[in-house]
DNA sequence: GTCTATAAAGGGATAGAC
DNA sequence: GTCTATCCCTTTATAGAC
């Protein structure tokens, strides 16, 4: 049992507990017990419960964001000088997060739940790296969807990230809603359904332009 | 100060605390203090923390679902024998929940957060009444979108309810993402953006049919 | 119905031995 | 690095006076 072995086991156990019971609901006693470690090990390795939480999230955030950038690079290579495909941009935003839940509890469940429970610690880890992704996604979407203004772009990006979060958090609901026809564990299946849904939403006419268009059609 | 006055103040204070800090994060001490009531009043009026939570949620759920049914009735009256407009169905699903947050914290924030923290108490109050709404919405969507199979209908309804939940929970994120251009308090503005987005997603081609269609187009 | 007081349990953190 | 033991605080819940 190496030095960092306990550390890893603590991270794994904490991730599970935090995602299942929320930050406040999870107790260090349960976490250390599940990790077959001592209660004091948390203090030794991480300092505090909050620092443990931050470490748990941080471990997942970087790989996810690297994968997002990789997918965007790949899509850009495919597109050459043309705007990226909306589907490719959407997939780059959502697939890495959803897939990160395949080998365990999804980060988004933890982050989402802790988001306003104790907002400060989470945002520290998540929002910094996310800013870069968001900027790049926004640039790509702006080119791909020139009919949208900045405000609408913001709304639609927000909606998109929102679906992902709730899909990751409430997998059991999907199973219930569909009478078992949809398998929440089948991430690729979910992604295959989600990408066209969101891409179509993204491509929806601008609300302002739509108003003007319908005013025009009434006149004619 | 009538008898039920304390009860109402407790419900109001509890709603705020639960939605801001989550079920576990909220303490009866803070709640009773905010309600200018005594700690023991919770036991007297509700029995336990969990029963208080259930009462808080239950108070909101019924009006929301009645409003949903009202909007569906209204849309059906407009449509006559034709299928309902997708926009109208989507709006009936989402607007009542979002608007219920106008005069206070949105139910969805509480429910969403408590959803897997302590799943049992929440589902008891929410899922029962929700089943009727879902069944009716599904029937309406099935007629309006005959190109979708049941599985896809499930996915898209799930996505739709998901966006709503996260939009309600993370209003601050919308403000941050948009550099202040989108006002999360402006519920009608958000609904006006959300309905066309989701309706377009709903109308997106069936994934299966799309595959066959693209196979056909490659042949031609 | 409302209060005080307290019970009983569980939480995070840490000192200090090994 | 790991452990035991313990401190100190907060939590929910309730008994019993008013």
């Amino acid at each position: 049992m190496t030095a960092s072995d306990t550390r890893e086991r603590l991270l794994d156990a904490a991730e599970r507990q935090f995602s299942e019971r929320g930050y406040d609901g999870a107790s260090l006693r349960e976490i250390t017990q599940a990790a077959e470690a001592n209660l004091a090990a948390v203090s030794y390795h991480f300092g505090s419960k909050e620092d443990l939480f931050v470490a748990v999230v941080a471990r997942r955030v970087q790989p996810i964001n690297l994968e997002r950038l990789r997918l965007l690079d790949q899509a850009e290579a495919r597109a050459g000088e043309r705007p990226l495909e909306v589907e490719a941009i959407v997939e780059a935003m959502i697939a890495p997060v959803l897939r990160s839940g395949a080998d365990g509890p999804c980060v988004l469940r933890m982050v989402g739940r802790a988001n306003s429970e104790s907002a400060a610690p989470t945002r520290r880890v998540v929002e910094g790296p996310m800013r870069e992704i968001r900027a790049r996604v926004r640039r790509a979407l702006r080119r791909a969807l020139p009919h949208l203004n900045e405000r609408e772009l913001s709304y639609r990006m927000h909606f998109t990230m929102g679906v992902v979060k709730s899909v990751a958090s409430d997998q059991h609901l999907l199973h219930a809603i569909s009478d078992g026809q949809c398998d929440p564990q089948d991430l690729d299946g979910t992604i295959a359904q989600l990408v066209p849904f969101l891409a179509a939403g993204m491509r929806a006419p601008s609300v302002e332009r739509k108003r003007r268009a319908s005013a025009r059609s009434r006149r004619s």
Side-chain angles (χ1 to χ4, degrees), chain A residues 24-120:
Chain A
D24 290 305
S27 82
L28 293 183
R29 287 184 154 80
E30 283 170 300
I31 290 171
T32 50
Q33 199 174 343
E36 293 179 271
N38 190 274
L39 177 60
V42 171
S43 280
Y44 179 78
H45 286 286
F46 301 96
S48 68
K49 182 183 185 180
E50 188 175 307
D51 290 329
L52 170 60
F53 179 80
V54 169
V56 167
V57 176
R59 181 173 64 150
R60 296 287 179 199
V61 165
Q62 214 203 354
I64 289 175
N65 283 340
L66 286 178
E67 175 68 2
R68 281 170 160 159
L69 294 175
R70 195 186 69 78
L71 289 176
L72 286 172
D73 286 340
Q74 194 178 300
E76 276 176 8
R78 265 202 315 272
E81 292 300 306
R82 289 165 315 184
L84 301 198
E85 261 196 22
V86 178
E87 277 78 4
I89 306 172
V90 168
E91 186 167 345
M93 276 201 279
I94 70 170
V97 202
L98 290 175
R99 293 218 177 87
S100 86
D103 61 325
C106 183
V107 224
L108 274 175
R109 247 198 297 203
M110 281 179 292
V111 174
R113 190 152 313 138
N115 213 347
S116 38
E117 267 176 23
S118 35

Side-chain angles (χ1 to χ4, degrees), chain A residues 99-151:
Chain A
R99 293 218 177 87
S100 86
D103 61 325
C106 183
V107 224
L108 274 175
R109 247 198 297 203
M110 281 179 292
V111 174
R113 190 152 313 138
N115 213 347
S116 38
E117 267 176 23
S118 35
T122 315
R123 294 193 204 169
R124 174 154 48 109
V125 216
V126 177
E127 280 195 19
M130 193 59 196
R131 207 161 301 178
E132 183 194 345
I133 308 282
R134 265 208 303 262
R136 192 158 160 200
V137 165
R138 183 185 282 268
R139 274 198 302 276
L141 285 174
R142 200 182 286 135
R143 273 198 74 200
L145 302 164
H147 66 295
L148 298 179
N149 62 37
E150 292 301 310
R151 223 173 71 93

Side-chain angles (χ1 to χ4, degrees), chain A residues 161-177:
Chain A
M161 293 313 303
V163 195
V164 177
K165 185 173 130 180
S166 67
V167 164
S169 307
D170 302 323
Q171 299 194 338
H172 65 276
L173 269 184
L174 175 60
H175 193 265
I177 275 184

